[in-house]
Amino acid sequence: VQLQASGGGLVQAGGSLRLSCAVSGRTFSRTSLGWFRQAPGKEREFVAGVNRNSDTMYADSVKGRFTVSRDNTKNTVSLQMNSLKPEDTAVYYCAAADVLSTVVRGGADYWGQGTLVTVSS
């Protein structure tokens, strides 16, 4: 199973970015997916997740600003990030598991390589 994240970059505070993660080697429609991030000197934290039914979960810090979605025809999961803040600066990782609760607690079976998001003030 491979997860390939993309879409990171440098953006000013208040701006937007869209991350995407392509998943291969697994029955995508049966997979729960999530996004995590790790800022310098901090632990990795859950950001957002979506299950096979497209039910979603978000960390409180990103609710109302980030939107996670999946496309079962393209085997991708996306994270639309709006109203970005400097504290959103981190390496963002996508993750996959059978159930969303496993993803949320950081126990995903598969992880992508990470993509860097930098938000300047």
Side-chain angles (χ1 to χ4, degrees):
V1 179
Q2 291 188 331
L3 285 76
Q4 183 72 37
S6 61
L10 173 64
V11 64
Q12 289 187 334
S16 298
L17 276 177
R18 185 177 181 86
L19 305 182
S20 183
C21 178
V23 181
S24 60
R26 182 180 175 93
T27 304
F28 185 81
S29 60
R30 299 178 183 176
T31 302
S32 291
L33 302 137
W35 290 93
F36 285 74
R37 66 188 181 186
Q38 187 167 19
K42 295 187 177 181
E43 293 187 353
R44 185 175 61 192
E45 62 175 359
F46 169 76
V47 175
V50 57
N51 69 6
R52 63 184 68 181
N53 298 321
S54 293
D55 300 317
T56 57
M57 292 185 65
Y58 296 92
D60 288 342
S61 59
V62 306
K63 281 181 180 177
R65 300 188 298 122
F66 290 11
T67 302
V68 61
S69 60
R70 64 188 297 155
D71 187 336
N72 289 345
T73 65
K74 297 180 179 179
N75 287 9
T76 58
V77 57
S78 298
L79 185 68
Q80 177 67 41
M81 305 184 294
N82 299 328
S83 302
L84 282 161
K85 305 175 181 180
E87 51 263 44
D88 294 318
T89 295
V91 176
Y92 283 71
Y93 300 89
C94 53
D98 287 338
V99 295
L100 186 55
S101 58
T102 301
V103 175
V104 171
R105 61 178 175 82
D109 301 305
Y110 308 101
W111 294 83
Q113 85 288 3
T115 185
L116 177 62
V117 172
T118 304
V119 184
S120 62
S121 58

